[in-house]
Amino acid sequence: MGFLDRMSTVVQAKMNKMMDKIEDPRETLDLSYEKQLQLLQNVKRGVAEVTTSKKRIELQKVKLQMSIDKLDSQAKEALSANREDLARKALENKAALQAQAASLDQQIADLNDQQQKLMAAESRLATKVESFRTKKETIKAQYSAAEAQVKVTESVTGISEEMADVGMAVQRAEEKTENMKARSAALDELLESGTLTDLSGGDEIEKELAKVKAQSTVDDELAKMKAEMKK
Amino acid sequence: MIIRILGEGQFRLDDKLLDELNRIDNRIVDHVQKGDEKAFRQDLDRLISTIKEQGEPVDPVDIFPSGIIVPPEDMSFQEARQVFCGPGLIKD
């Protein structure tokens, strides 16, 4: 059996699951339509969820970038105060944060991709559902239960395939978002517990730089006093 | 023939291309069985780009079943193995 045949079997199984066997084909139409509307709501929720996850990670990226910028200016400040050791430490921390930021960029790109695909799927499904609704009313009005059978089979199979497809897409997106949520929560914890803020050198490097600055102010003042006393 | 790429909708393709798609399909089976992930990725990409380049997207207003169903382009190798060995792409 080829790969694509197997793929069709997988989708077929999902379709069968979705469509219950009903005697009156016109009833099948109504039931299918109800399920389509439900699925449409699901897709909308899926899109919203992916969008929320993306925003959350974008926010983390902004926070990280601020830390990176801060470390960068600290490194410069340290260098101009002739403290290469401090500058080195700041740059080392900066490199670690940059690696984190790159991973966030990748996640944002993935989520963006998911978001675009789901939105396209939503719009395709919405168009099909509307078209199905019109068709269903025509079939119900024009045919007896027996005559409707053939007409129903084609449109219901067609729409069920679309529904199986969209349903799977939503599930895949949910699984991916779930994975990222866990990673993102872990990063939030690091940010909150201060592990990353320490890494961002906020405290240690800042303190050292303040000391250096204070020292040089004292030196300046001493020099000034000495000069005045010599007069 | 009508082909569905999962996650991307349906495309209308000339029947003449069926042989080529079958050849790629057979190679994909081979790659999955041999565990050759790189070749699997290449041929899956080739399969999907052939359909997108040579086919015409079906108007979403039209409702009919597809003759062939193609996996999503971001299907992982692990998922492909599951299509063969396990319950399918997505758990119930």
Side-chain angles (χ1 to χ4, degrees), chain A residues 68-94:
Chain A
I68 289 170
D69 292 346
K70 185 176 169 196
L71 281 167
D72 196 58
S73 64
Q74 282 179 333
K76 280 179 191 145
E77 217 175 308
L79 255 193
S80 67
N82 279 326
R83 287 291 304 269
E84 200 177 317
D85 58 325
L86 268 187
R88 183 175 294 278
K89 184 158 177 29
L91 291 179
E92 276 166 4
N93 291 351
K94 180 181 154 192

Side-chain angles (χ1 to χ4, degrees), chain A residues 2-4 6-8 14 17 114 117 124 127-128 131 155 158-159 161-162 165 168 171-172 175-176, chain B residues 4 6-9 25 29 60-66 69 71 73-74 79 83-84 86 90-92:
Chain A
F3 189 63
L4 299 179
R6 185 74 182 91
M7 209 59 227
S8 297
K14 304 280 157 201
K17 250 199 161 147
Q114 289 290 329
K117 277 189 183 150
R124 270 199 312 273
T127 309
K128 271 205 165 50
S131 156
S155 20
I159 196 95
E161 185 188 298
E162 184 76 29
D165 181 357
M168 285 158 93
Q171 215 171 329
R172 279 168 69 79
E175 276 167 18
K176 284 191 179 175
Chain B
R4 173 179 296 276
L6 286 178
E8 304 203 40
D25 183 27
V29 174
V61 170
D62 295 329
I63 302 175
F64 33 62
S66 317
I69 294 181
E73 62 181 347
D74 61 349
E79 285 173 323
V83 166
F84 277 100
I90 303 279
K91 56 180 181 292
D92 292 320

Side-chain angles (χ1 to χ4, degrees), chain A residues 47-64 104-105 107-108 111-112 115 176-192:
Chain A
V47 172
E49 203 165 299
V50 173
T51 310
T52 311
S53 293
K54 196 177 91 173
K55 278 197 186 131
R56 181 174 178 194
I57 296 181
E58 277 168 349
L59 201 68
Q60 287 185 327
K61 173 73 200 301
V62 170
K63 279 191 204 159
L64 267 188
L104 289 188
D105 279 338
Q107 290 179 51
I108 292 168
L111 284 173
N112 200 40
Q115 189 189 25
K176 284 191 179 175
T177 328
E178 218 39 60
N179 271 341
M180 284 184 195
K181 256 192 209 160
R183 286 165 70 181
S184 161
L187 183 57
D188 262 347
E189 217 163 277
L190 283 180
L191 283 168
E192 271 160 32

Side-chain angles (χ1 to χ4, degrees), chain B residues 31-78:
Chain B
H31 302 324
V32 174
Q33 276 163 358
K34 286 185 179 148
D36 189 344
E37 185 171 350
K38 199 174 154 205
F40 160 78
R41 177 72 35 222
Q42 274 174 356
D43 267 326
L44 183 61
D45 284 350
R46 190 168 295 140
L47 181 72
I48 288 171
S49 60
T50 306
I51 297 167
K52 281 189 188 164
E53 280 161 22
Q54 315 270 345
E56 278 288 315
V58 170
D59 186 341
V61 170
D62 295 329
I63 302 175
F64 33 62
S66 317
I68 297 176
I69 294 181
V70 173
E73 62 181 347
D74 61 349
M75 172 188 250
S76 70
F77 193 58
Q78 193 53 38

